[in-house]
Amino acid sequence: MQMKEKLSPFQASILVYLIQSGVTLFTLPRLVAEAFGTNGWIGLIFISLIVNINIVLIWLVFKISKGKSFFQIISIFPKWITLPVNLFIAVVWMLLGVFVMVKFSMILKVLFYNNVSLFYFFSMGYILSYIMLKKDLYQIAKSTVVLFYFTIWTVFLLAYHLPEFSFIRLTPYFFKGDTDMLKGGMSIYTALLGYELSILFIHMIERKQLKSLIAGNSITSLIYLGVTFISFGFFSFEQLLREMYPVVTLLGYISFPVLERVESFTFSIFGLKVLMTTVMYFWGTKELLQYQFKRIKPNFLLIGIMIMSFFVSFIPKVIKDVEQWLNYITYAATAIAFMLPILLIIIVLFTRKMNRKPANE
C-alpha cells in the first residue's frame, strides 16, 4: 500500500481525469437533453460544482487528519468491524470497473466489430488491467500521463463540426421540455464518478492536493461541456433525443483523405480511457481487500479479482442489462462518494477527542 514516490499535482490531475472519462460520454448529450431539456448543457456546470463540493469533503478528511491515509484513519477499529464496510465498497468498485468495460465492449461489438466475440474483448481488457495493476500507483499514474497525450487530441475533432454549428438550434429557452432533473441529474452525475477513489491516494499527492483533484474534475467537465454544447448546436433538440449515441454520430460526420471511418478509430482509442477507469477501480478494490486480508499475497488477491471479474462480465447478455446493472451500482458508488468522507471526518474528530490509539498496528 505504501510507495516511495509521490504523485505530482499534474499526475494526480490527469489520473482523476482519466478515471472519470468513461463510456457515458457517448450518450451524455442525449442524457443531458432528457434530464434538463433545451440548453440542458448548462446543467452540466451545476453537476460539476456538486462534484467539487464532494472533492472538498475528501480534502477535508486529509486536512483534519493531518495527512493520514484512509487506512490509518480506520485503523482505530478492529478488522472485524471494518470488514463488512470495506467488502461492500470493494464489491461496488469492482462491479463498476467490470461493467464499464463490459458496456464499452458491447457497444464496440455492436457498432463496429459484429463478428468478434466478447470473449476476446474481455480477455484483452483483463490481461492489460492485470499488467498495469502489478505496478504501484506511481507507475500507473505515469502511464496515465502517456495515455493522456495519446488520447487528448480527439477533443480537437470537435472543431470539425463548427461550420455546421448553429446558435438557432440552442433556442432561447432554458430547461424546457419533458425534463426529469432528479433521476436524469443522477445519471449525468455518474458520468463524473471516479474522483471518489482519490480518498485512497490523496495522501500520496506531494502538494496542492485540493487544486490537483479539482483540476482533474475541471478537465473532464470542460470536455463534457464542450461535447454537449457542440451537440446541442449541431443536432436539433428532437434529433438529439432520438440519437442513442450522439457522440458516435458526430464522429461519423468526420472523414479524412487517409482515414474515412474516424468514428471507429476514435472509439477504439477511447478504449484506453475506459481501460484506465477499470484499472483504477480494480486498484481501489485491491487496496481495500489487501488491508483486510494482509496474510494473502497481493498477487493472489489481484488474480482472484481478475478471475471473479472475468466471470461476472458474462452475466449480462445485452446492453440494456448492463445499463440496468450500472444504474444500481453507480447509485451505490455515489452514496459511497458522499458518505465515506463524512464518516471519516466524524471518525477523525472522535479519535482526536478520545485520543484513541490504532487497534491494527
Side-chain angles (χ1 to χ4, degrees):
M1 292 183 204
Q2 300 295 328
M3 63 179 189
K4 293 177 182 176
E5 299 92 347
K6 291 224 167 191
L7 302 175
S8 69
F10 177 70
Q11 286 175 323
S13 300
I14 299 303
L15 188 59
V16 170
Y17 156 65
L18 279 174
I19 304 171
Q20 285 181 306
S21 293
V23 72
T24 310
L25 172 65
F26 294 96
T27 55
L28 190 61
R30 175 174 56 79
L31 293 178
V32 168
E34 289 172 348
F36 298 117
T38 51
N39 282 307
W41 55 274
I42 297 173
L44 268 174
I45 298 171
F46 298 109
I47 301 288
S48 179
L49 290 175
I50 294 173
V51 171
N52 281 342
I53 292 171
N54 201 172
I55 288 174
V56 169
L57 276 178
I58 293 170
W59 175 76
L60 279 176
V61 175
F62 173 77
K63 290 301 287 184
I64 294 173
S65 68
K66 297 181 179 175
K68 284 185 178 176
S69 70
F70 169 81
F71 298 112
Q72 285 174 322
I73 294 171
I74 64 171
S75 64
I76 65 161
F77 299 109
K79 290 282 181 65
W80 62 269
I81 290 181
T82 57
L83 178 64
V85 178
N86 281 343
L87 270 184
F88 174 74
I89 299 172
V91 169
V92 170
W93 284 353
M94 186 194 79
L95 290 177
L96 198 49
V98 169
F99 285 107
V100 165
M101 182 188 290
V102 171
K103 185 175 179 182
F104 177 80
S105 301
M106 283 189 172
I107 297 175
L108 190 65
K109 176 182 169 63
V110 169
L111 294 181
F112 307 113
Y113 302 102
N114 290 309
N115 297 323
V116 180
S117 168
L118 285 172
F119 175 84
Y120 296 109
F121 290 132
F122 295 159
S123 300
M124 188 167 62
Y126 287 117
I127 289 170
L128 290 174
S129 299
Y130 177 74
I131 291 171
M132 293 193 75
L133 285 164
K134 286 184 74 176
K135 309 292 183 184
D136 62 26
L137 185 64
Y138 180 71
Q139 298 297 328
I140 294 173
K142 285 204 298 186
S143 304
T144 61
V145 174
V146 176
L147 286 178
F148 172 75
Y149 287 121
F150 188 66
T151 58
I152 193 61
W153 62 269
T154 56
V155 174
F156 299 106
L157 291 175
L158 289 173
Y160 188 90
H161 301 92
L162 290 179
E164 301 297 327
F165 182 90
S166 171
F167 283 98
I168 295 174
R169 297 192 185 101
L170 296 178
T171 79
Y173 303 105
F174 293 90
F175 304 152
K176 296 292 183 184
D178 197 10
T179 58
D180 184 2
M181 292 195 185
L182 185 60
K183 189 177 177 184
M186 275 294 292
S187 299
I188 296 163
Y189 187 86
T190 58
L192 289 165
L193 276 178
Y195 67 88
E196 74 276 14
L197 288 171
S198 62
I199 203 159
L200 295 186
F201 64 77
I202 188 169
H203 65 288
M204 301 175 185
I205 304 172
E206 61 184 9
R207 63 183 187 282
K208 298 180 180 176
Q209 292 82 4
L210 179 60
K211 287 182 181 176
S212 305
L213 300 182
I214 287 182
N217 179 51
S218 300
I219 296 170
T220 313
S221 302
L222 283 174
I223 291 173
Y224 281 2
L225 194 62
V227 170
T228 309
F229 181 72
I230 292 289
S231 299
F232 270 75
F234 186 85
F235 300 105
S236 68
F237 183 67
E238 291 72 22
Q239 191 181 1
L240 195 55
L241 291 174
R242 289 195 300 271
E243 287 287 341
M244 180 64 76
Y245 303 109
V247 177
V248 176
T249 308
L250 268 183
L251 294 171
Y253 282 92
I254 303 173
S255 65
F256 297 112
V258 294
L259 184 63
E260 289 190 2
R261 298 299 303 272
V262 174
E263 75 273 30
S264 61
F265 178 72
T266 309
F267 196 86
S268 302
I269 290 290
F270 194 85
L272 296 172
K273 295 183 180 180
V274 173
L275 178 70
M276 280 313 306
T277 303
T278 300
V279 164
M280 284 307 297
Y281 274 114
F282 285 169
W283 175 83
T285 303
K286 181 175 75 78
E287 292 293 300
L288 290 172
L289 295 180
Q290 199 173 319
Y291 173 79
Q292 289 296 152
F293 307 106
K294 283 186 177 170
R295 292 185 180 178
I296 303 177
K297 290 184 178 178
N299 208 32
F300 289 161
L301 270 179
L302 188 53
I303 291 171
I305 293 169
M306 292 291 112
I307 292 173
M308 199 179 301
S309 301
F310 184 77
F311 285 108
V312 170
S313 303
F314 291 95
I315 293 176
K317 302 299 179 191
V318 292
I319 291 179
K320 190 178 177 184
D321 292 343
V322 179
E323 288 176 345
Q324 198 166 16
W325 274 77
L326 270 175
N327 274 341
Y328 297 133
I329 296 164
T330 50
Y331 290 160
T334 304
I336 291 168
F338 276 96
M339 296 303 298
L340 193 57
I342 293 172
L343 186 63
L344 290 175
I345 288 172
I346 293 171
I347 292 171
V348 171
L349 294 176
F350 173 77
T351 308
R352 188 179 295 173
K353 189 170 183 179
M354 302 300 292
N355 196 25
R356 289 199 60 177
K357 302 291 183 185
N360 298 300
E361 285 184 327

